[in-house]
Amino acid sequence: YSYYMLGLIEMKRKNYDAAIFNFDRSILVNAEFAPTNVGKGLAFYKLGQVDLAKKEFEKARIKDGEFGLSSYN
């Protein structure tokens, strides 16, 4: 959860590469935490990497199918 929060901080600072780095670390710690993939997808989107963003949103949708929060992206 700490790396996820660091990713959000970097997103706020518009340091998208650093955000992706922290989101990747968060995924290593807890691969089932769907909000991390949403954050990573948003960072990719902000960098103009739409295809990678879509892949992350899809991963989040699969993980979070029960709650459906990721389908808003």
Side-chain angles (χ1 to χ4, degrees), residues 8-36:
L8 292 180
I9 290 167
E10 295 299 344
M11 288 291 291
K12 181 81 172 165
R13 294 177 177 168
K14 298 183 180 183
N15 294 329
Y16 303 119
D17 289 323
I20 291 167
F21 175 80
N22 283 299
F23 290 139
D24 282 340
R25 293 186 71 146
S26 176
I27 291 167
L28 288 174
V29 173
N30 183 0
E32 297 305 312
F33 187 59
T36 302

Side-chain angles (χ1 to χ4, degrees), residues 2-73:
S2 298
Y3 290 118
Y4 170 72
M5 295 304 293
L6 289 172
L8 292 180
I9 290 167
E10 295 299 344
M11 288 291 291
K12 181 81 172 165
R13 294 177 177 168
K14 298 183 180 183
N15 294 329
Y16 303 119
D17 289 323
I20 291 167
F21 175 80
N22 283 299
F23 290 139
D24 282 340
R25 293 186 71 146
S26 176
I27 291 167
L28 288 174
V29 173
N30 183 0
E32 297 305 312
F33 187 59
T36 302
N37 293 95
V38 174
K40 187 176 175 184
L42 289 171
F44 279 132
Y45 181 80
K46 293 289 192 175
L47 289 171
Q49 298 178 15
V50 177
D51 289 338
L52 291 174
K54 287 180 183 178
K55 288 179 184 178
E56 290 302 321
F57 294 146
E58 180 61 19
K59 288 177 187 177
R61 188 190 63 76
I62 291 167
K63 292 177 187 179
D64 196 31
E66 180 181 339
F67 300 105
L69 296 174
S70 59
S71 63
Y72 289 105
N73 293 299

